[in-house]
Amino acid sequence: MGTTVFERQRPAASVVQHSLADTKHAVFWRDDLPEALTPDRPPLVGSHRADLVVVGGGYTGLWTALLATERDPGAKVVIVEAQRVGWAASGRNGGFCEASLTHGHENGMSRWPDEMPTLERLGAENLDAIEASQANYGMDFQFERTGQLAPAVEPHQVEWLKEWAAEGEDGVVYLDEAEAQASVHSPTYLAAVWEKNACGMVHPARMAAELARVCEERGVEIFERSHVTGLDTSGPGVVVVTEEGRVAASRAALGTNVFPSLIKRNRLMTVPVYDYVLMTEPLTDAQLASIGWQDRQGIGDLANQFHYYRISQDNRILFGGYDAIYRYGRRLNPAHEHRPESWRKLASHFFTTFPQLDGLRFTHQWAGAIDTSTQFTAFFGTARERRVAYAAGFTGLGVGSTRFAGEVMLDLLDGVENERTALEMVRKRPLPFPPEPAASIGINATRWSLDRADHNRGRRNLLLKTLDALGLGFDS
């Protein structure tokens, strides 16, 4: 079994120790929000009425509410959030706003090959609409249309990139070793593909906060710190119930994602997988010059256990990924967000990627759960006689596709037949995860196998090949 570049070219332990010496366990993006974008909204108390009630104040719920006001400016829309707007995945992710609705071209081709031209066009239109929304609504979530760089860091990955570039997708450019390292000065790069139009970078917490601000300007009422305990559909509509209040509405949209679904049949559809992230201090001009990266692309390498990284507007580097940890029992627990060994590993891999930044410190470290589905992208549906719509399972690519999910949920509630609702991805549910202990055994065996593949020139073992054949294999 071979070694990876991150094992062959490890930095000194003292470099890692120094970089993490004063790191704060907090989400940088939320620390970076101005007070004007973090108003303290009231909890839900008493009885309220609405045309549409949205459960969840992250991207899925916020886009759904905003799009609902576009479709019917006179509609009364209410959002009920258990904590604060954007406090979970929407406020702490890497800020990669991708055009892909299918968690990448290969994943989509393996599942819905006949629909991929439509899915890719809809994804591109969706990304264009997100970019345009800044000007349309006077928002600022620091959108940069940078595209995304996929570097090969092991020899066997170079051929993958050549095959990808040979498919002739628009805006996909192959870079050889010299060109890749001229673009981003990392000695680990052996080649790269640059998808020039397929991704934008955003400030995640600002995006959620700005969406909430615009929703309220358009008449949406947002209640925070209001945990929904149930859906009552015994009457003609839907009643969302919390400990201190209720909202009676004609329809409901659920954007609860990684949290236990209010629809019982959906509770085995996702599992929480914990992801870990570091953020550096701002780079000096000399440090920036030493790494190049003038095109500011988002970067994600080609390993099964991959890293993702990007530059913030104030020239910090966010570096995350690699460890994706599932905990027995599916339970969400803040204690799972503290894993020093993952941050030490990330710091080590960071300085392997950019050894010229020796001495740089990390100011923030954090973690959180990703809502993972067996098809590695969102699934959709309705319940309670089509009075309730849901979308979940974004598997880490929800920054862009949550807006599309909002459109789909509103289409489903309206009973609209169009190219979105005709998609097999929308019409058919993926397989659920099994209950415990089978889920833990299967997920951890898969993770072990993916790591083995990364150490064996990408060769997939019998378990991974079987999962691929069943449509459960993962190829990001």
Side-chain angles (χ1 to χ4, degrees), residues 67-80:
L67 294 168
T69 68
E70 289 185 349
R71 296 188 181 200
D72 183 359
K76 174 63 176 175
V77 180
V78 169
I79 296 175
V80 183

Side-chain angles (χ1 to χ4, degrees), residues 5 33 61 99 154-155 163 170 189 247 261 269 272 319 326 391 404 414 419 457 459 467:
V5 66
L33 278 181
E154 300 293 345
E163 292 172 0
D170 289 342
Y189 289 6
V247 180
S261 178
M269 297 299 293
F319 196 82
Y326 173 74
F404 177 80
D414 288 340
E419 62 181 352
R457 291 177 287 177
R459 293 172 180 166
L467 293 173

Side-chain angles (χ1 to χ4, degrees), residues 183-199:
S183 178
V184 179
H185 306 337
S186 173
T188 66
Y189 289 6
L190 305 178
V193 156
W194 182 9
E195 296 179 276
K196 290 195 170 185
N197 303 314
C199 187

